């Protein structure tokens, strides 16, 4: 194993070295693409092989385009990434990286470039949608709608099928200015419970909100950790700053805990102003008073899971599948029989089974074509390449034969990738895969390295359709943005305080509710709702 790992690493190092050396040498020549010498050999090759090798070629003459892509404050597009090299070989287009390599603030680097007016051919970044819209509408980035229509068949097909993405990337002026990174696999978080405690107390997995209450109450009363002390904390939550995963339990009474939601008629609501939210908060305050919810919920800190599961005191939580499942491996020697399992969301008081939180299925990340780009057609074809089957595989899994093998038509990571000391995502970033270029992620990439418990949970939530449709990330006009920025921060702060006071019993929910609704109005909620509604309506027009 060790030898194999070393060989794999040596191979990677060699390849990087070869290409760096190749680039330096070729930099002086007109031809920047190391593999472009196919022409000279082609006479000796059968025609079919030659055509196959050039299947994705966008241009017969190698083309160099500059890219400015500084992202996640820590990463810069690199010419020696294996994925970039492979893309170069396949498309005959070579991206030359021009963003500063040592800067540590992506937004700053982006702003400096925009202010200079000296734009690269391609500009990429994470969390940049609003800027792409704004600068696009000002003319710094070109509209892509016609280019996609005429020259990007794979992208076009994708956007026709994923109208949510199409809407998300359409600016208020109706134009598309960037191609986004589209994550895959919407399962993110779910309910977890100590199965070994259920077994000990002879209880079933809770299937409704009432059953959940009974089970958690039994955890509190019946000493499932068998130490003779009433030290169990039935429900815990590591989001101690706002108890987010606990407030989310209002969904079990028909409420919503994310700030905004849409009803079936397309009307936008502010969650914490609705009667279902009030009902949920009343019950959660009761759970807290009865010791079902961690008494130190707001102060326990981010390590709540490590502390309470590690001390064999915690019974249930709502959190990310991958990290929560991992406690089974971490604690198996310390706590004999420790068995923390994902369960379906308990049905709410109306019988609805729903997981409110899903992963973002579209990111405000991606890349755009600047107005300075002299090759927009080739560039949109290059963007399109990443939406071909081969391009998508390259962006997700790296290089066939080095990082994965095709087995029964599926890209299966090699053991040295799966068993590497570095997590798979880090390994992929280091070769330029899984970076926020405009591409469509494949959940199979992640599924291969999730532990079996996490995989079971994620599959259960996805395959049963538990995950609620996400409220869209809205795009505001300049006027709307002003209203939003004036009103929202005050409401946000006020409501966070109220949630805490209610949960901890410092204020009685029923007694203060009318005053609460009145305060929201005074803070401008109605005006803000109008803005939300108009941005939302534009999104779905
Ligand atoms: Ca106990």
């Amino acid at each position: 194993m060790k030898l194999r790992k070393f060989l794999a690493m040596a191979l990677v190092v060699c390849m990087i070295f070869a290409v760096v050396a190749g680039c330096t040498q070729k930099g002086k020549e007109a031809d920047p693409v190391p593999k472009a010498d196919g022409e000279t050999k082609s006479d000796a090759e059968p025609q079919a092989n030659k055509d196959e090798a050039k299947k994705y070629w966008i241009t017969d003459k190698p083309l160099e385009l500059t890219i400015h892509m500084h992202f996640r404050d820590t990463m810069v597009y690199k010419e020696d990434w294996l994925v970039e090299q492979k893309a170069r070989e396949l498309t005959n287009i070579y991206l030359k990286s021009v963003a500063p390599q040592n800067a540590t603030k992506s937004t700053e680097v982006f702003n400096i470039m925009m202010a200079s007016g000296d734009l690269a051919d391609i500009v990429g970044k994470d969390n940049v949608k609003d800027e792409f819209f704004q600068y696009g509408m000002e003319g710094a980035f070109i509209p892509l709608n016609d280019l996609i229509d005429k020259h990007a068949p794979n992208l076009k097909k994708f956007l026709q099928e994923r109208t949510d993405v199409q809407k998300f990337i359409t600016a208020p002026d109706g134009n598309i200015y960037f191609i986004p990174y589209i994550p895959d696999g919407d399962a993110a978080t779910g309910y977890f419970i100590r199965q070994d405690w259920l077994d000990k107390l002879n209880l079933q997995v809770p299937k409704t909100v009432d059953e959940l209450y009974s089970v958690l109450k039994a955890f509190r009363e019946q000493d499932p950790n068998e130490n003779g002390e009433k030290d169990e904390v039935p429900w815990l939550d590591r989001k101690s700053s706002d108890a987010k995963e606990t407030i989310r339990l209002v969904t079990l009474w028909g409420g919503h805990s994310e700030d905004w939601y849409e009803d079936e008629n397309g009307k936008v609501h502010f969650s914490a102003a609705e009667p279902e939210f009030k009902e949920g908060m009343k019950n959660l305050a009761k759970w807290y008073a009865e010791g079902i919810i961690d008494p130190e919920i707001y102060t326990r800190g981010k390590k709540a899971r490590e502390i309470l599961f590690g001390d064999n005191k915690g019974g249930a939580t709502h959190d990310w599948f991958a990290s929560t499942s991992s406690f089974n491996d971490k604690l198996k020697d310390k706590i004999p029989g420790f068995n923390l399992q994902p369960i379906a969301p308990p049905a709410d008081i109306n019988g609805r089974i729903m997981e409110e939180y899903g992963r973002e299925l579209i990111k405000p990340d991606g890349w755009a074509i600047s107005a300075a780009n002299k090759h927009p057609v080739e560039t949109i074809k290059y963007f399109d390449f990443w939406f071909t089957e081969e391009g998508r595989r390259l962006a997700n899994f790296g290089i066939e034969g080095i990082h994965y093998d095709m087995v029964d038509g599926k890209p299966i990571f090699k053991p040295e990738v799966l068993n590497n000391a570095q997590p798979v995502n880090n390994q992929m970033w280091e070769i330029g895969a899984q970076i926020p270029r405009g591409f469509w992620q494949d959940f199979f990439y992640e599924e291969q390295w999730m532990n079996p418990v996490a995989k079971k949970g994620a599959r259960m939530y996805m395959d049963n359709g538990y995950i609620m449709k996400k409220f869209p990330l809205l795009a505001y006009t300049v006027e709307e943005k002003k209203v939003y920025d004036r009103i929202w921060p005050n409401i946000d702060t006020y409501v966070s305080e109220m949630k805490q006071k209610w949960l901890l019993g410092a204020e009685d929910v029923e007694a203060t509710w009318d005053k609460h609704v009145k305060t929201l109005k005074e803070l401008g909620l109605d005006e803000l709702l109008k803005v939300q509604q108009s941005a939302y309506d534009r999104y779905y027009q």
Side-chain angles (χ1 to χ4, degrees):
M1 184 60 218
K2 266 190 179 146
L3 176 67
R4 211 157 26 135
K5 203 182 273 181
F6 172 76
L7 287 175
M9 279 184 63
L11 177 63
V12 170
V13 170
C14 278
M15 291 193 66
I16 290 170
F17 180 75
V19 166
V20 170
C23 285
T24 322
Q25 194 192 349
K26 295 267 180 178
K28 296 171 194 149
E29 300 171 19
D31 167 13
V33 180
K35 299 273 171 148
D37 57 355
E39 287 299 320
T40 54
K41 280 196 285 176
S42 62
D43 292 343
E45 278 177 34
Q47 186 65 28
N49 283 357
K50 188 185 143 194
D51 289 350
E52 186 56 29
K54 290 185 176 180
K55 188 176 163 193
Y56 296 104
W57 268 29
I58 289 162
T59 157
D60 281 335
K61 233 180 105 195
L63 176 64
E64 176 183 299
L65 297 170
T66 55
I67 179 165
H68 186 289
M69 185 165 176
H70 197 291
F71 57 103
R72 296 174 184 159
D73 289 336
T74 53
M75 294 165 86
V76 188
Y77 197 93
K78 286 195 163 53
E79 289 158 40
D80 60 11
W81 278 336
L82 293 181
V83 170
E84 156 63 26
Q85 290 168 46
K86 188 71 184 175
R88 200 181 299 177
E89 185 187 316
L90 289 169
T91 64
N92 214 13
I93 286 183
Y94 163 41
L95 300 196
K96 183 175 162 50
S97 180
V98 296
Q101 297 283 328
N102 298 320
T104 53
K105 291 262 187 298
S106 297
T107 299
E108 230 172 80
V109 170
F110 176 87
N111 289 340
I112 290 169
M113 178 204 53
M114 292 308 301
S116 78
D118 184 14
L119 269 56
D121 295 320
I122 297 171
V123 177
K125 194 182 166 291
D126 56 326
N127 211 359
V128 70
K129 175 186 163 191
D130 289 346
E131 287 78 6
F132 278 157
F133 282 0
Q134 182 200 329
Y135 291 118
M137 291 189 282
E138 288 173 17
F141 299 107
I142 62 170
L144 306 179
N145 310 50
D146 285 351
L147 287 167
I148 294 170
D149 196 41
K150 294 196 180 94
H151 305 289
N154 298 287
L155 203 40
K156 186 176 168 181
K157 182 165 172 277
F158 177 82
L159 292 176
Q160 277 166 353
E161 281 161 17
R162 287 289 300 271
T163 49
D164 57 328
V165 177
Q166 164 101 26
K167 280 167 186 158
F168 182 82
I169 60 174
T170 299
D173 69 354
N175 284 324
I176 289 172
Y177 291 106
F178 77 109
I179 304 302
Y181 157 38
I182 305 120
D184 188 35
D186 51 354
T189 59
Y191 291 82
F192 278 82
I193 201 156
R194 285 285 296 274
Q195 181 64 48
D196 53 327
W197 283 11
L198 290 176
D199 295 342
K200 224 166 259 176
L201 302 179
N202 205 15
L203 296 166
Q204 301 296 311
V205 168
K207 290 204 164 55
T208 65
V209 54
D210 291 338
E211 289 176 14
L212 179 64
Y213 172 77
S214 305
V215 159
L216 296 178
K217 190 87 174 162
F219 282 180
R220 181 72 189 141
E221 307 290 341
Q222 297 177 30
D223 193 25
N225 66 6
E226 296 179 317
N227 65 351
E229 289 174 43
K230 197 172 170 181
D231 57 351
E232 284 79 1
V233 176
W235 179 267
L236 62 102
D237 176 352
R238 73 181 155 123
K239 306 271 176 64
S240 64
S241 59
D242 56 5
K244 196 172 172 62
E245 299 306 325
T246 303
I247 302 290
R248 197 184 296 289
L249 294 174
V250 299
T251 54
L252 297 175
W253 288 272
H256 295 79
S257 80
E258 296 289 329
D259 297 321
W260 308 97
Y261 72 94
E262 63 217 292
D263 65 22
E264 59 275 19
N265 301 316
K267 186 164 181 244
V268 177
H269 297 261
F270 180 60
S271 302
E274 297 295 321
E276 295 82 7
F277 183 89
K278 172 186 165 190
E279 192 58 28
M281 273 317 303
K282 271 165 64 179
N283 281 280
L284 290 182
K286 175 172 173 274
W287 285 23
Y288 181 85
E290 292 179 12
I292 287 173
I293 292 170
D294 185 1
E296 294 175 45
I297 184 98
Y298 278 97
T299 49
R300 180 82 63 182
K302 288 194 183 102
K303 300 256 177 209
R305 291 182 306 180
E306 282 81 350
I307 296 165
L308 292 171
F309 288 134
D311 290 348
N312 199 17
K313 289 179 183 167
T317 193
H318 182 274
D319 211 314
W320 286 76
F321 286 113
S323 63
T324 312
S325 298
S326 73
F327 285 93
N328 290 303
D329 302 323
K330 284 179 198 156
L331 297 173
K332 66 177 188 299
D333 295 330
K334 191 177 170 197
I335 305 169
F338 183 91
N339 186 8
L340 185 62
Q341 290 292 321
I343 61 166
D348 74 3
I349 51 166
N350 305 308
R352 181 185 60 160
I353 299 176
M354 186 266 277
E355 166 63 31
E356 188 186 38
Y357 186 75
R359 198 190 301 238
E360 300 285 351
L361 281 183
I362 322 166
K363 284 286 214 179
D365 311 351
W367 52 18
I369 304 179
S370 83
N373 187 319
K374 300 234 170 17
H375 304 276
V377 171
E378 287 84 352
T379 310
I380 200 75
K381 285 180 176 175
Y382 181 78
F383 285 3
D384 192 58
F385 161 75
W386 296 99
F387 284 80
T388 64
E389 210 180 303
E390 177 134 15
R392 189 182 177 204
R393 206 158 54 226
L394 178 61
N396 273 285
F397 303 95
I399 318 292
E400 184 172 4
I402 298 179
H403 307 104
Y404 71 89
D405 292 311
M406 291 303 283
V407 180
D408 299 331
K410 287 181 136 188
I412 306 295
F413 279 126
K414 284 180 171 289
E416 51 267 42
V417 171
L418 291 174
N419 302 328
N420 196 295
Q422 286 255 38
V424 178
N425 51 354
N426 289 14
Q427 293 178 67
M428 289 296 107
W429 295 337
E430 280 174 11
I431 58 159
Q434 296 290 343
I435 60 153
R437 59 166 61 83
F439 89 108
W440 183 20
Q441 195 180 44
D442 185 340
F443 180 65
F444 188 56
Y445 137 79
E446 195 172 324
E447 199 172 13
Q448 291 185 59
W449 49 285
M450 284 174 108
N451 87 22
V453 174
K455 205 184 292 185
K456 185 180 83 178
R459 274 284 154 217
M460 172 175 33
Y461 276 55
M462 290 196 288
D463 294 348
N464 290 297
Y466 294 149
I467 303 158
M468 202 181 93
K469 190 175 129 209
K470 250 188 145 52
F471 187 73
L473 257 179
L474 301 174
Y476 302 105
T477 63
V478 175
E479 284 309 307
E480 287 168 351
K481 185 83 167 70
K482 273 186 203 154
V483 175
Y484 183 92
D485 287 344
R486 172 166 52 82
I487 297 175
W488 173 246
N490 296 330
I491 288 189
D492 190 28
T493 307
Y494 160 72
V495 169
S496 300
E497 284 168 13
M498 285 313 294
K499 285 172 181 171
Q500 181 165 354
K501 284 178 185 165
W502 285 328
L503 185 67
L504 301 184
E507 300 255 26
D508 181 74
V509 183
E510 190 67 57
T512 56
W513 186 258
D514 291 345
K515 186 165 153 261
H516 163 68
V517 173
K518 194 164 158 262
T519 306
L520 286 174
K521 283 188 187 299
E522 285 164 6
L523 290 172
L525 179 62
D526 291 341
E527 196 184 347
L528 183 57
L529 267 168
K530 266 188 205 136
V531 161
Q532 290 292 94
Q533 189 70 54
S534 72
Y536 176 90
D537 290 344
R538 198 168 47 242
Y539 187 89
Y540 281 111
Q541 77 192 353

